[in-house]
Amino acid sequence: FAAACAIGAVVLAAAGRWNWRGGAVMLAVMAIFTYVPGALLAASASRKLGGLTGDVYGALNECAEIGLLLLAAVFIYNG
């Protein structure tokens, strides 16, 4: 989660879209949009597998990063 937020901040800063007011709001939205699906996927995997494995953690991390980068692209494109 923290790594995904850091990636989002770096992407926004590299695109020149970071300022303290708008950037913080965008980062909060990104955090919510990566945390909620990740929590749902983790709950689903835990129910089906009886727990979380390293592979599940890796898949959750990759899904969060992809979602965050797609959302950052939307923010950058729409300005």
Side-chain angles (χ1 to χ4, degrees), residues 48-79:
K48 290 180 181 181
L49 299 174
L52 298 175
T53 65
D55 288 339
V56 173
Y57 287 125
L60 291 171
N61 187 23
E62 295 302 319
C63 290
E65 286 179 18
I66 291 169
L68 183 86
L69 291 174
L70 288 174
L71 194 59
V74 168
F75 278 135
I76 292 168
Y77 181 74
N78 290 329

Side-chain angles (χ1 to χ4, degrees), residues 3 9-10 15-20 22 28 37 39 43 47 49 53 56 58-59 61 67 72 74 79:
V10 168
R17 298 286 185 200
W18 179 265
N19 60 31
W20 284 108
R47 239 185 353 264
L49 299 174
T53 65
V56 173
N61 187 23
V74 168

Side-chain angles (χ1 to χ4, degrees), residues 1 5 8-10 12-13 17-33 68 71 75:
F1 179 71
C5 289
V10 168
L12 290 173
R17 298 286 185 200
W18 179 265
N19 60 31
W20 284 108
R21 190 178 329 168
V25 170
M26 284 190 276
L27 195 58
V29 169
M30 288 181 185
I32 291 168
F33 275 91
L68 183 86
L71 194 59
F75 278 135

